[in-house]
Amino acid sequence: SPLKRCKDSAAILFPRNNLITIEDFKEYNFGEFEGKTAAELQDNLDFRDWLQGDMQASPPYGETNAQFMHRVCAAFEKVISGCVQTGTRRIALVCHAGVMMTLLTCYGLPEAAMANWQTDPGFGYKLHLDPALWMRAKERKPLDVKNLLETVPVWRDLPRVSPEENH
């Protein structure tokens, strides 16, 4: 993500690595919902539709759930295809919770709803990708790549970053 919190976290977690910023991994465009709490928006009909996961729902002046999912998944597919083509075996994606939960909902095993992929700040998942399976799926249909990743929580492997350090 190009946003400061992710760039700073990536620099802390991977100080010796070359950091690459991918614009399409930035967090959801919350439009008029930005900076407001769920309690403040509880009576807002747009918020209710958006929260229910309606793919065409969006915050006023924000992106729809479908736009967000397409943006994030297209970027992920480019990254993974590039890794497969170059033989890159280990990467780290330092991203926002919404991005992580969307990717895991679309590609993770076991299949789970987005809410089930929530994690505490500073935590993440370790993903294992089978390159042969990824390429076979890509040859059949560009978006027929669902469920090709195994996910394992990695909170034990990541150093904790205090909230003060993460702003």
Side-chain angles (χ1 to χ4, degrees):
S1 170
L3 301 180
K4 181 176 174 25
R5 186 172 61 239
C6 280
K7 290 172 83 169
D8 290 351
S9 295
I12 291 167
L13 293 169
F14 306 102
R16 287 178 248 145
N17 293 74
N18 181 29
L19 303 181
I20 300 170
T21 301
I22 298 174
E23 185 74 22
D24 285 335
F25 285 146
K26 68 183 174 212
E27 183 58 289
Y28 193 93
N29 177 351
F30 291 102
E32 289 185 0
F33 295 170
E34 188 69 47
K36 296 183 180 173
T37 66
E40 292 171 319
L41 294 167
Q42 69 183 358
D43 295 326
N44 183 307
L45 295 179
D46 290 327
F47 179 69
R48 288 182 191 170
D49 290 342
W50 175 78
L51 201 57
Q52 292 299 317
D54 178 340
M55 292 307 287
Q56 297 311 311
S58 71
Y61 304 104
E63 65 188 321
T64 66
N65 288 325
Q67 289 168 328
F68 176 69
M69 184 181 75
H70 178 74
R71 170 172 59 83
V72 168
C73 289
F76 181 72
E77 290 186 15
K78 285 180 190 175
V79 167
I80 298 303
S81 291
C83 289
V84 170
Q85 290 171 356
T86 62
T88 302
R89 299 185 49 89
R90 292 181 63 130
I91 65 168
L93 299 178
V94 180
C95 56
H96 305 277
V99 172
M100 186 182 342
M101 292 187 312
T102 296
L103 292 175
L104 292 168
T105 300
C106 291
Y107 302 104
L109 286 176
E111 290 185 33
M114 184 178 265
N116 293 329
W117 294 113
Q118 289 182 2
T119 186
D120 292 331
F123 287 70
Y125 291 89
K126 185 182 245 180
L127 307 174
H128 171 75
L129 172 73
D130 180 325
L133 185 57
W134 178 268
M135 294 309 290
R136 275 196 313 241
K138 292 294 288 176
E139 289 170 8
R140 280 187 241 140
K141 276 188 180 176
L143 294 177
D144 186 22
V145 291
K146 188 175 175 130
N147 300 324
L148 299 179
L149 302 175
E150 293 177 53
T151 56
V152 181
V154 294
W155 56 87
R156 294 176 302 275
D157 298 340
L158 296 176
R160 285 296 277 171
V161 177
S162 71
E164 296 79 34
E165 295 173 303
N166 202 20
H167 289 283

